[in-house]
Amino acid sequence: MDRVRDLASKKAAVIFTKSSCCMCHSIKQLFYELGASPAVHEIDKDSYGREMEWALRTLGCNPSVPAVFIGGNFVGSSKDVISLHVDGTLKQMLMDAKAIWF
Amino acid sequence: MGSRARTVNVSSTGDSNNVVNGMPSYAPPPPMPSSSSSMGIDATNVLPSRISEFGNLEQSLGFRVEDAINLSRNPLFNQLQLKSNSQALGADVQFGALSKSIANSDINISAAIAGSQTLSLQKDSQPNLASTSAGHRENWGESNMADASPRTDTSTDDTEDKNQMPERGESSERSKDKADQKTLRRLAQNREAARKSRLRKKAYVQQLESSRLKLTQLEQELQRARQQGIFISSSGDQTHSMSGNGAMAFDVEYARWLEEHNRQTNELRAAINSHAGDIELRTIVDNFMTQFDDIFRLKGIAAKADVFHILSGMWKTPAERCFMWIGGFRSSELLKLLVNQLEPLTEQQLMGIYNLQQSSQQAEDALSQGMDALQQSLAETLANGAPNPSGSSGNVANYMGQMAMAMGKLGTLEGFLRQADNLRQQTLQQMLRILTTRQSARALLAISDYFSRLRALSSLWLARPRE
């Protein structure tokens, strides 16, 4: 959990993924389209990967990846991100976190 | 009945014929020319002899009835009796022959005579025979009626009755004949009733047989349908019934949903055309959205059972299928169609719709890219590790590992479908937030109409004449 929190606070937009996960790929693409440059951490390539996955699950992220943090706060998994994106909230959050400027 | 006392004047031929009373039911003229000739009676003597025959007949009948009937009430008969005695003595041969012919041939006449006599007697009083025969007749009547109910073995009872009755009251041949006649009639009726009963039974059994056959057929159909996973039970538990082939079950559910959807569309159309109030429109719009929630939910359940069926779009019409995107419609396309139809829109609304359109487009692109990545990854997984012709056991392990990985990747398809549906749902809801109630109603109607036209187009296309 500490590692997760630590990594999440390092950048305005942080996404935890797995290299094999294609949905993660989608969310990444979404962020790129928005103009954000999120920090991407592949937990299956991380030595603490298993603990991180467990930590993400305890946060309520199911499936555990992709897990999105904006401004150090846990936003959710793909479903939450898409929902927030549709009603414009995601963009606002990114702007607030200074991940994007317009 | 004719009058009792009918005096026939006889031209005397010297015979001291008795004064004959016309028989009550008898027209004097010639019922017995044949018997006359058979008896060889002289033509000249026809009339008197006939009369004498009458008289003799009366005598003989009178003798027979005498036991049962109280003839003392009838003076005429008594006279006859007195006279007939002497007559009988005098004309033995004739009488014998006559009585024989009477006994042999004319049962009807005797019965009629008996009947008429009893009836006429009945007019005067209540003689035994009359009452007994009436009672007898009553009984017969009753058992006749009883015969109408499906009883077939009444004949024995009735014959017993008939046997008893005459013994009780009569021992004369006349009533026996009457009894025989009635017995015959009863037997015939019994036979008829039995026949009818048998026919009814036969018809009923046939009906039962055909019903049974139909029942087995239906059971077989049901079994077959169950195997194909069709929704048999109407209970709300959908997860259980999605056994076997979830695709068919979903198709059935979708058809049902479509029906309901069309109904609600018509309701919406009617409300808009009739310029219904905002509150009513809001209710209809909310119901409409609930309906959409329903189909998304159903798709989710079906995707768990058979994701490829949903993704393939086989449950949609061909035209819909062609322009499908990840198991459904493209939200951004829909919004592009609507903008023109929703005018007038405020500046803010226009912005909102435009932003929504862009957001959904972005989400769609993102998901599409994810799908592309999936396909690529799957291809790589399956393509990697081409089997070594030497066929070592390692390859088999590789193969198994490959398949396992591929299986894992396929599992993510369901996730994509779920997110695509989520996008569609969110887009619709956001749209309703931007628009007013009336605009929302018109928008939903426009969407509905668009899809129904697309479906109609598919039908037309399929039915088009080919060269």
Side-chain angles (χ1 to χ4, degrees), chain A residues 19-34 62-63 77-88 91, chain B residues 355-356 358-363 365-371 373-375 377 409 412 415-416 418-419 422-423 426-427 430 433:
Chain A
S19 55
S20 58
C21 170
C22 296
M23 185 58 75
C24 303
H25 185 81
S26 285
I27 299 299
K28 274 194 291 181
Q29 293 302 318
L30 186 62
F31 271 70
Y32 295 151
E33 274 188 60
L34 284 171
N62 189 22
S77 186
S78 46
K79 181 174 182 178
D80 308 301
V81 168
I82 287 174
S83 305
L84 290 169
H85 177 63
V86 168
D87 64 12
K91 198 166 187 183
Chain B
N355 285 338
L356 180 61
Q358 202 180 27
S359 304
S360 64
Q361 183 84 57
Q362 284 165 345
D365 287 346
L367 287 172
S368 297
Q369 287 187 44
M371 285 286 278
L374 175 61
Q375 191 184 357
S377 166
K409 288 192 196 293
T412 60
F416 275 100
R418 200 179 22 237
Q419 293 314 318
N422 180 35
L423 175 62
Q426 295 295 326
T427 309
Q430 177 67 8
R433 274 182 235 128

Side-chain angles (χ1 to χ4, degrees), chain A residues 13-67:
Chain A
V14 177
I15 310 178
F16 292 97
T17 67
K18 281 185 186 167
S19 55
S20 58
C21 170
C22 296
M23 185 58 75
C24 303
H25 185 81
S26 285
I27 299 299
K28 274 194 291 181
Q29 293 302 318
L30 186 62
F31 271 70
Y32 295 151
E33 274 188 60
L34 284 171
S37 349
V40 176
H41 300 286
E42 293 179 341
I43 59 175
D44 56 340
K45 297 277 166 61
D46 197 298
S47 49
Y48 296 102
R50 202 159 294 167
E51 287 92 351
M52 287 164 79
E53 184 165 357
W54 180 87
L56 290 170
R57 278 201 202 276
T58 52
L59 282 173
C61 199
N62 189 22
S64 57
V65 289

Side-chain angles (χ1 to χ4, degrees), chain B residues 427-441:
Chain B
T427 309
L428 280 173
Q429 284 173 2
Q430 177 67 8
M431 182 186 79
L432 294 187
R433 274 182 235 128
I434 294 169
L435 300 174
T436 65
T437 306
R438 198 161 296 272
Q439 286 167 332
S440 300

Side-chain angles (χ1 to χ4, degrees), chain B residues 299-467:
Chain B
K299 279 169 80 178
I301 294 168
K304 280 191 172 53
D306 188 352
V307 66
F308 284 114
H309 177 67
I310 306 295
L311 283 175
S312 70
M314 288 312 292
W315 50 283
K316 279 183 179 280
T317 59
E320 283 176 300
R321 204 181 305 145
C322 180
F323 303 117
M324 214 174 57
W325 173 80
I326 307 185
F329 60 82
R330 233 181 228 278
S331 310
S332 54
E333 284 295 320
L334 227 55
L335 288 169
K336 276 185 215 160
L337 295 171
L338 284 177
V339 164
N340 297 331
Q341 298 191 40
L342 287 174
E343 287 167 3
L345 290 171
T346 67
E347 193 75 29
Q348 199 177 17
Q349 282 179 326
L350 263 173
M351 281 304 292
I353 296 291
Y354 176 74
N355 285 338
L356 180 61
Q357 192 190 317
Q358 202 180 27
S359 304
S360 64
Q361 183 84 57
Q362 284 165 345
E364 284 166 21
D365 287 346
L367 287 172
S368 297
Q369 287 187 44
M371 285 286 278
D372 289 344
L374 175 61
Q375 191 184 357
Q376 198 167 357
S377 166
L378 194 63
E380 280 170 18
T381 308
L382 290 174
N384 262 352
N388 198 331
S390 62
S392 69
S393 64
N395 281 336
V396 172
N398 272 352
Y399 185 81
M400 300 288 276
Q402 256 183 354
M403 282 300 155
M405 204 153 51
M407 288 282 277
K409 288 192 196 293
L410 272 189
T412 60
L413 271 177
E414 197 200 320
F416 275 100
L417 179 59
R418 200 179 22 237
Q419 293 314 318
D421 274 350
N422 180 35
L423 175 62
R424 287 182 262 264
Q425 213 166 357
Q426 295 295 326
T427 309
L428 280 173
Q429 284 173 2
Q430 177 67 8
M431 182 186 79
L432 294 187
R433 274 182 235 128
I434 294 169
L435 300 174
T436 65
T437 306
R438 198 161 296 272
Q439 286 167 332
S440 300
R442 276 163 46 204
L444 289 174
L445 186 62
I447 292 171
S448 233
D449 281 346
Y450 167 69
F451 283 122
S452 75
R453 278 179 214 144
L454 203 52
R455 284 189 282 269
L457 182 65
S458 291
S459 302
L460 282 172
W461 180 257
L462 288 171
R464 80 189 185 286
R466 326 272 174 103
E467 282 98 61

Side-chain angles (χ1 to χ4, degrees), chain B residues 44-316:
Chain B
T44 52
N45 284 346
V46 167
L47 192 55
S49 55
R50 217 177 293 138
I51 289 163
S52 70
E53 284 164 25
F54 275 40
N56 287 334
L57 176 63
E58 205 176 44
Q59 284 163 36
S60 57
L61 291 177
F63 279 143
R64 284 179 205 126
V65 182
E66 200 181 300
D67 295 337
I69 301 176
N70 186 1
L71 292 174
S72 59
R73 293 184 208 156
N74 194 339
L76 292 171
F77 262 108
N78 287 335
Q79 277 179 25
L80 253 159
Q81 268 181 333
L82 291 167
K83 290 201 177 142
S84 64
N85 283 334
S86 55
Q87 189 74 352
L89 290 169
D92 234 347
V93 178
Q94 250 186 345
F95 176 75
L98 191 58
S99 66
K100 213 195 317 177
S101 71
I102 290 167
N104 290 341
S105 57
D106 258 333
I107 298 174
N108 284 339
I109 295 173
S110 60
I113 291 169
S116 64
Q117 278 188 337
T118 53
L119 278 172
S120 54
L121 284 168
Q122 251 181 325
K123 275 193 214 162
D124 303 336
S125 57
Q126 297 290 329
N128 292 338
L129 176 60
S131 58
T132 47
S133 59
H136 201 126
R137 247 169 296 170
E138 261 179 57
N139 279 343
W140 289 345
E142 274 172 9
S143 14
N144 271 335
M145 288 194 314
D147 234 0
S149 66
R151 264 190 316 135
T152 55
D153 55 345
T154 57
S155 46
T156 44
D157 298 334
D158 292 329
T159 42
E160 277 171 15
D161 267 348
K162 278 174 247 169
N163 286 335
Q164 285 168 16
M165 293 303 271
E167 282 164 14
R168 209 187 303 159
E170 310 170 51
S171 53
S172 61
E173 211 175 294
R174 223 177 306 152
S175 43
K176 228 184 271 173
D177 292 338
K178 184 168 69 177
D180 284 343
Q181 195 196 20
K182 298 235 170 163
T183 308
L184 287 170
R185 201 163 70 218
R186 284 304 300 298
L187 285 172
Q189 280 171 347
N190 277 345
R191 274 196 296 277
E192 192 57 39
R195 196 174 70 86
K196 284 195 186 139
S197 190
R198 278 194 296 275
L199 284 173
R200 272 201 302 271
K201 182 180 175 184
K202 194 176 174 188
Y204 179 62
V205 167
Q206 273 177 354
Q207 202 183 20
L208 276 181
E209 287 289 325
S210 65
S211 299
R212 201 166 64 93
L213 210 66
K214 197 171 177 202
L215 184 64
T216 36
Q217 277 176 359
L218 281 174
E219 276 181 344
Q220 279 173 3
E221 266 184 57
L222 194 65
Q223 189 65 26
R224 244 177 277 134
R226 271 227 180 85
Q227 278 174 356
Q228 293 171 6
I230 288 182
F231 240 123
I232 302 299
S233 67
S234 56
S235 66
D237 196 357
Q238 293 174 1
T239 46
H240 284 328
S241 54
M242 286 284 180
S243 60
N245 198 347
M248 269 222 178
F250 175 73
D251 285 355
V252 170
E253 279 301 297
Y254 177 65
R256 213 183 292 173
W257 180 87
L258 209 54
E259 254 182 63
E260 181 62 25
H261 176 76
N262 287 335
R263 193 190 64 78
Q264 284 204 357
T265 304
N266 289 333
E267 200 184 324
L268 186 61
R269 196 194 324 274
I272 291 172
N273 288 340
S274 68
H275 303 285
D278 265 14
I279 300 171
E280 190 185 333
L281 277 179
R282 191 79 240 166
T283 314
I284 297 177
V285 162
D286 287 343
N287 289 341
F288 219 84
M289 286 311 291
T290 312
Q291 259 254 301
F292 269 115
D293 290 344
D294 262 353
I295 190 62
F296 288 130
R297 185 177 52 87
L298 287 170
K299 279 169 80 178
I301 294 168
K304 280 191 172 53
D306 188 352
V307 66
F308 284 114
H309 177 67
I310 306 295
L311 283 175
S312 70
M314 288 312 292
W315 50 283
K316 279 183 179 280

